[in-house]
Amino acid sequence: MKEKDCIFCKIAAGEIPSATLYEDGDFRVILDLGPASKGHALIIPKEHYRNLYDIDDEKAAKILPLAKKMINKMTEVLGCDGYNLVQNNEECAGQTVFHFHMHMIPRYKGDNVGLGWHMGKLTDADKNEILEKMK
Ligand code: AMP
Ligand code: ZN
């Protein structure tokens, strides 16, 4: 299913031009227009899913193998030193385009890409509460 007015539906369908690195029946992989580092790319399914909460299991299962193939090739091409895969779900988590996408962000020794968080401390109360509720 496509969603009217969704920019990534239009990019994935080729209705809006993009810097496409790879395409198959299920996905288009493009360079991000606002890259965190040189070579930052996005895996975009051709079907519309809002995010990981919504994506079909069969489609989701194809994403990690594709990411692996892409970062192996991109590492050769870019000469980068590592990679982050980032995938944001909902606004509070930084999602700005509400069509599933996986970021592949090349990392270079000494770069200033600001991905990370301040580490907290797992409290016994949180640990016990979560373990209990997950049963
Ligand atoms: P997120 O914040 O996880 O929803 O990421 C959205 C990403 O899409 C950002 O990194 C944007 O730079 C990127 N982006 C938005 N519009 C376009 C576009 N037309 N072509 C390529 N990348 C885009
Ligand atoms: Zn869409």
Side-chain angles (χ1 to χ4, degrees):
M1 249 355 102
K2 303 276 177 292
E3 189 156 293
K4 201 174 157 286
D5 299 332
C6 170
I7 186 162
F8 279 9
C9 278
K10 291 183 178 141
I11 288 174
E15 290 162 19
I16 294 179
S18 62
T20 296
L21 301 173
Y22 172 85
E23 184 184 3
D24 62 23
D26 293 316
F27 300 99
R28 184 183 290 271
V29 180
I30 67 167
L31 288 176
D32 193 298
L33 276 188
S37 65
K38 182 178 174 182
H40 181 170
L42 303 171
I43 297 177
I44 303 176
K46 292 187 171 180
E47 292 283 304
H48 182 88
Y49 306 101
R50 178 179 171 85
N51 54 37
L52 191 62
Y53 289 112
D54 188 39
I55 197 167
D56 178 298
D57 284 357
E58 204 184 312
K59 201 60 60 83
K62 295 180 175 173
I63 292 173
L64 213 49
L66 175 56
K68 178 181 172 181
K69 182 161 92 174
M70 292 305 305
I71 74 165
N72 272 311
K73 174 78 175 164
M74 291 289 277
T75 297
E76 266 177 48
V77 167
L78 297 164
C80 58
D81 303 301
Y83 253 95
N84 290 113
L85 296 189
V86 176
Q87 199 275 309
N88 299 323
N89 298 284
E90 298 300 333
E91 200 175 342
C92 67
Q95 186 175 8
T96 58
V97 177
F98 292 90
H99 174 129
F100 179 98
H101 50 282
M102 173 78 83
H103 295 261
M104 296 181 290
I105 303 176
R107 299 302 302 269
Y108 302 87
K109 279 181 191 140
D111 70 25
N112 285 317
V113 174
L115 296 171
W117 55 85
H118 298 293
M119 282 210 299
K121 170 115 182 65
L122 178 62
T123 64
D124 284 342
D126 283 353
K127 180 176 70 183
N128 294 336
E129 179 195 332
I130 294 163
L131 290 176
E132 189 55 38
K133 287 181 172 167
M134 286 298 287
K135 279 181 186 164

